[in-house]
């Protein structure tokens, strides 16, 4: 048997090892479920032994509370930007100057991908992450350490003990960006135009807990300290000590070899897990770099090759409309498949009806597509010379493609809207939004499954998701659903039923204009769903007085909660046992039976731990996540270790079981002292 400290160390190591395999090597070693199990064990262990928590524990990636602003970080060695090369001539000119500057005939370069994200500097001391800052103006950046600590691709510990000042890029994978944007779209928040904006925006959130929800990745490509003679040795070392690197560096003797790499890499780069818009060419010998030095703005020993944005031509076969959660119809071009930037494109966004009209895009037209930093290809223009004679201007639909009800165009809006509250298209989009990461996080419900659930009427509103575990047999009957995947879905739903904070639930509901930040403010004000449902119209509209919530948002919340369909759906959620409470700021119940008492809950009970926390707070008691000095009671269920009870005794907390707790709860504040006596008698023998 290992001691808790040994087990803690082993868990931290194992979790870090799996994260390394996943984020650095791209070779996952465990399933998500196994990873979750380890992580949960770690949390439980730390709850029982708070003294074991270290800054490097994987549990410490949750993000610190919001700040007022960012501290400035002045750096000794400026972070540089790069000069650009757009043609072979530009590159040869760069090479000529470098050779002349260094007085040599040929130079060995390293060519590597240029990652499209936000630049970052991260410092490790004695193997630990101690500081992270944005580029800022190069000389002075902003301290974003607590944000960067939430990024799981960035190790909290590395095996190199010497100081390392690393430079690299924080980015979002193209596939992840779509999920983030989907959530933002329906929450009324502006979409990120490209992965770079998304990464930069996420990095600079004042509330690092929000950064923690963003799927950020990292790659390092430079080290300020001179521990090596060449760039490629340095990169290999970074990888060896556990840091994520691009692992695509190629040493090229002379500029012709660089040009060959650039040509070859153009087709490879689209298969990479990060967005690249070019190749960075760097002098490999670090001593040569010193000789070359910097111009006023750029190093003379590196340059960035930029690939031209790719365009392609194809025929537009049809224009259909996607129905969004709020009923907005987005026109989509259905195309003859065409290869573009490494993928086959058969759909492109047309943004809105006005664009179709202003560009006069017609079915049958040959159109020019572009896919640059953006993920979704755009229709740039129409080749009018190639237009067949029989085409006609496109007519917007008069009826919803999902439900067939007439659509409306609201004054001043560019979009058509389906206003049918029971539209299956809207429900599908709403369910997708509801179940994504950052919301209820039941992402095992994929697109096609959601479609089947809606079509078969197994799910008729958001609340029905929580009735699915009871309908197992029907789930197994669906297309492509085996026992095992059904079990995975049921487990994920059970975790979401009681495991989400109230603001996550509110965000996931997708109330128009209410994104995750506003949802948090509303959740903090009301504490839980029951309180929100019971709030009066005046209370709801008074949300307007909260800093960060405008009149329009408050009105939107009020309208949502006054809609009988939505109310019925939310009541159904409560009836199905959905517990979503707001930690910390839940409103205090004055004078309840447990007023002035604090409880730490441990072990297993018939009820979920979250439900017990609710009971405690509802009776005016305080919940302590771990036993600390001043914790009145350790409420122990089954299977509680002796370590835990010993520790509680040491810290002066009294041990009670469920019966003791019930007695306390029913006693009321007047009999507090006698109730305590009673509870003492009921205390377990330790
Ligand atoms: P630019 O922003 O166009 O001036 O390009 C310079 C930026 O490219 C740097 O500040 C880095 O943030 C970024 N970058 C991306 N990948 C690399 C790489 N492999 N090496 C150096 N810089 C890179
Ligand atoms: Zn509809």
């Amino acid at each position: 048997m290992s001691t808790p400290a040994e087990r803690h160390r082993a868990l931290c190591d194992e979790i870090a090892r799996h994260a390394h395999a996943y984020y650095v090597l791209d070779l996952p070693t465990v399933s998500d479920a196994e990873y979750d199990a380890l992580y949960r064990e770690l949390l439980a262990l730390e709850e029982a032994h708070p003294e074991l928590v270290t800054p490097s524990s994987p549990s410490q990636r949750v993000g610190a509370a919001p700040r007022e602003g960012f501290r400035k970080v002045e750096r000794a060695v400026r972070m540089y930007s790069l000069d650009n090369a757009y043609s072979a001539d530009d590159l040869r000119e760069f090479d000529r100057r470098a050779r002349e500057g260094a007085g040599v005939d040929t130079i060995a370069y390293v060519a590597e991908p240029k990652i499209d994200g936000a630049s970052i500097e991260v410092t490790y001391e004695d193997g630990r992450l101690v500081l992270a800052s944005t580029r800022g103006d190069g000389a002075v950046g902003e301290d974003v350490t607590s944000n960067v600590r939430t990024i799981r691709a960035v190790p909290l510990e590395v095996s190199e003990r010497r100081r390392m000042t690393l430079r690299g890029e924080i980015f979002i994978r193209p596939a992840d960006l779509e999920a983030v944007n989907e959530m933002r779209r329906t929450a009324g928040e502006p979409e990120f135009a490209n992965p770079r904006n998304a990464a930069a925006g996420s990095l600079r959130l004042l509330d690092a807990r929000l950064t923690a929800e963003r799927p950020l990745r990292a790659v390092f490509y430079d080290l300020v300290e001179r521990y090596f003679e060449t760039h490629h040795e340095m990169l290999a070392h970074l990888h060896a000590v556990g840091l994520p690197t691009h692992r695509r560096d190629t040493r090229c003797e002379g500029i012709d070899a660089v040009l060959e790499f650039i040509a070859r890499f153009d087709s490879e780069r689209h298969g990479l897990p990060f967005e690249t818009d070019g190749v960075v060419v760097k002098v490999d010998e670090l001593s040569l770099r010193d000789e070359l030095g910097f111009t006023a703005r750029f190093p003379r020993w590196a340059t960035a090759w930029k690939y031209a944005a790719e365009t392609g031509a194809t025929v537009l076969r049809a224009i259909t409309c996607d129905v969004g959660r709020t009923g907005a119809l987005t026109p989509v071009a259905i195309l003859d498949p065409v290869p573009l930037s490494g993928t086959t494109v058969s759909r492109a966004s047309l943004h809105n009806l006005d664009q179709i009209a202003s560009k006069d895009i017609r079915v049958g037209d040959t159109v020019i597509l572009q896919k640059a930093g953006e993920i979704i290809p755009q229709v740039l223009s129409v080749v009018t010379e190639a237009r067949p004679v029989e085409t006609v201007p496109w007519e917007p639909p008069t009826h919803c493609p999902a439900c067939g009800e007439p659509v409306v165009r609201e004054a001043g809006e560019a979009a058509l809207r389906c206003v049918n509250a029971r539209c299956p298209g809207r429900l599908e989009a709403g369910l997708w939004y509801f179940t994504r990461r950052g919301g209820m996080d039941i992402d095992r419900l994929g697109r096609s499954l959601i479609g089947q659930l809606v079509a078969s009427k197994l799910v008729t509103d958001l609340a029905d998701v929580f009735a699915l575990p009871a309908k197992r047999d029907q789930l197994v009957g669906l297309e492509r659903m085996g026992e095992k995947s059904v079990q995975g879905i049921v487990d994920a739903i059970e975790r979401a039923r009681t495991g989400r904070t109230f603001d996550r639930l509110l965000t996931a509901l997708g109330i128009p204009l209410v994104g995750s930040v506003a949802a948090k403010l509303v959740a903090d004000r009301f504490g839980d769903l029951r309180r929100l449902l019971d709030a009066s119209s005046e209370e709801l509209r008074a949300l307007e007085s909260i800093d960060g919530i405008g009149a329009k948002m408050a009105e939107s919340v009020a309208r949502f909660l006054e809609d009988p369909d939505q109310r019925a759906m939310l009541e159904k959620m409560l009836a199905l046992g959905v517990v979503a409470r707001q930690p910390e700021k839940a409103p205090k119940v004055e004078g309840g039976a447990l007023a002035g008492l604090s409880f730490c809950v441990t072990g297993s009970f018939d009820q979920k731990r979250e439900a017990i926390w609710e009971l405690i707070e509802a009776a005016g008691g305080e919940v302590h996540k771990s036993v600390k000095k001043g914790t009145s009671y350790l409420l122990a269920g089954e299977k509680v270790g002796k370590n835990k009870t010993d520790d509680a005794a040491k810290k002066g907390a009294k041990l009670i079981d469920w019966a003791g707790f019930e007695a306390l709860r029913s006693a009321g504040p007047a009999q507090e002292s006698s109730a305590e006596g009673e509870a003492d008698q009921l205390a377990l023998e330790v």
Side-chain angles (χ1 to χ4, degrees), residues 79-84 112-120 135 168-169 196 221-222 246 280 282 298 304 306:
M79 265 173 102
Y80 49 84
S81 144
L82 295 170
D83 203 357
N84 292 317
E112 61 186 39
K114 183 169 192 295
I115 299 128
D116 204 10
S119 25
I120 188 86
R135 174 159 76 181
E169 207 78 3
R196 173 190 285 251
Y221 46 68
D222 246 323
H246 47 66
V280 183
K282 300 173 180 172
F298 310 117
K306 292 265 175 78

Side-chain angles (χ1 to χ4, degrees), residues 323 400-405 418-420 423-426:
V323 186
C400 171
C403 68
E405 294 286 308
C418 168
V419 289
N420 172 11
C423 171
R426 293 179 57 180

Side-chain angles (χ1 to χ4, degrees), residues 16 38 62 110 143 152 175 225 352 369 403 415 432 467 505 540 631 661:
L38 290 170
V62 285
V110 169
D143 182 343
R152 284 194 273 171
E225 286 78 15
N352 60 48
L369 301 175
C403 68
W432 173 257
L505 173 67
L540 293 174
T631 303
F661 175 67

Side-chain angles (χ1 to χ4, degrees), residues 122-137:
V122 178
T123 308
Y124 287 82
E125 270 168 15
D126 197 26
R128 296 212 165 82
L129 190 166
V130 292
L131 181 66
S133 58
T134 61
R135 174 159 76 181
D137 67 2

